[in-house]
Amino acid sequence: MRLLLVEDELELAEPLAKLLKREGHIVDVSYDGDTAWQALHQHHYDLVILDWMLPGISGLELCIRMRLESMTAPVLMLTAKDTIDDKLAGFDAGADDYLSKPFELRELVARVRALLRRPTQIRPDELQIGDLIIDKLNRLARLKNQVIELSAKEYQLLTYFAENQGQLLTHEQIYAYLWGADSEPTSNVVAAQVKLLRRKLDKGFETSLIQTVHGLGYRFNAP
Ligand code: CA
């Protein structure tokens, strides 16, 4: 993954960049907002770490500009500001996560990992996980460019799996998501729904994208 780290404090930027490189990433560092803005136009980044207070364009402004230009890389904001209003301003600007200084480097690394695991929003109405694209507007999926027509429930189920990839979703959670927590569960309805979705999804794959966790539920693994 290619990361852009925008941080004007050398004594923080250097160890951070080193740590992220050790995680296997390519890390570009900008020490001011204007250089960062140029870098954002020169490369595609999978994640951008933005310090709020920067010489030149501020981190907050950079984040707003990125979203205006439909740059969808997740943004992690770093700042000494930690009042709730400042946090909300950061999220309003389109930041995905927020870390107040001082922080432990390992916490930042953990948050970076979590952000990189999230599905990428390529268009506001599309969700991409590996070769799978969920088209929210047309309620269908494309897998390796093959269109998969989905019923309303299949679509809901696939979206639920996609947004929680790699995580165990229990029968109860899936039931509550698809039919509402108040309705009375009927036996095997979740299993039947999963079976229908698998039939459409797993064509061309040796193993199912939806893994059964016996006695508990299911886990979705990105294609
Ligand atoms: Ca700063």
Side-chain angles (χ1 to χ4, degrees), residues 7-9 51-54 101:
E7 169 60 72
D8 57 317
E9 284 171 55
D51 183 30
W52 186 308
M53 301 293 280
L54 292 167
K101 292 178 184 176

Side-chain angles (χ1 to χ4, degrees), residues 34-221:
D34 298 273
T35 314
W37 189 235
Q38 283 171 20
L40 282 165
H41 286 91
Q42 279 160 1
H43 301 286
H44 166 80
Y45 290 103
D46 299 292
L47 177 91
V48 181
I49 301 170
L50 285 179
D51 183 30
W52 186 308
M53 301 293 280
L54 292 167
I57 311 168
S58 76
L60 190 70
E61 177 66 24
L62 277 171
C63 187
I64 293 168
R65 288 194 191 184
M66 280 177 67
R67 297 319 185 211
L68 282 175
E69 291 202 9
S70 300
M71 294 179 188
T72 55
V75 169
L76 172 59
M77 295 279 296
L78 303 180
T79 180
K81 293 170 181 260
D82 61 356
T83 69
I84 187 72
D85 284 346
D86 291 330
K87 275 188 192 174
L88 291 177
F91 285 121
D92 280 347
D96 297 86
D97 200 1
Y98 200 105
L99 204 50
S100 301
K101 292 178 184 176
F103 52 82
E104 287 199 34
L105 293 183
R106 60 187 176 164
E107 182 175 3
L108 180 127
V109 169
R111 284 177 190 241
V112 164
R113 281 192 197 140
L115 284 170
L116 289 173
R117 270 200 305 269
R118 277 193 200 169
T120 331
Q121 207 93 15
I122 43 178
R123 287 206 331 242
D125 50 2
E126 284 191 349
L127 193 66
Q128 181 167 18
I129 316 114
D131 287 335
L132 175 71
I133 293 173
I134 299 174
D135 180 340
K136 293 182 175 179
L137 206 63
N138 299 303
R139 295 202 151 226
L140 51 80
R142 289 198 299 279
L143 190 56
K144 297 186 169 176
N145 289 323
Q146 296 277 334
V147 172
I148 302 169
E149 305 268 1
L150 299 167
S151 72
K153 281 277 182 282
E154 288 162 359
Y155 169 82
Q156 270 182 288
L157 181 59
L158 178 60
T159 309
Y160 189 43
F161 275 134
E163 285 172 349
N164 295 283
Q165 58 166 319
Q167 287 177 40
L168 167 69
L169 296 177
T170 64
H171 297 116
E172 292 75 19
Q173 283 172 318
I174 296 171
Y175 189 88
Y177 186 82
L178 292 183
W179 286 280
D182 297 334
S183 61
E184 197 63 37
T186 54
S187 61
N188 292 333
V189 65
V190 169
Q193 200 59 60
V194 168
K195 195 175 169 186
L196 287 171
L197 182 59
R198 268 186 179 148
R199 204 175 287 168
K200 293 188 176 177
L201 273 190
D202 292 343
K203 278 182 200 158
F205 288 95
E206 281 182 21
T207 50
S208 180
L209 300 179
I210 305 167
Q211 180 196 343
T212 303
V213 184
H214 286 288
L216 291 173
Y218 301 92
R219 187 178 284 123
F220 183 78
N221 300 306

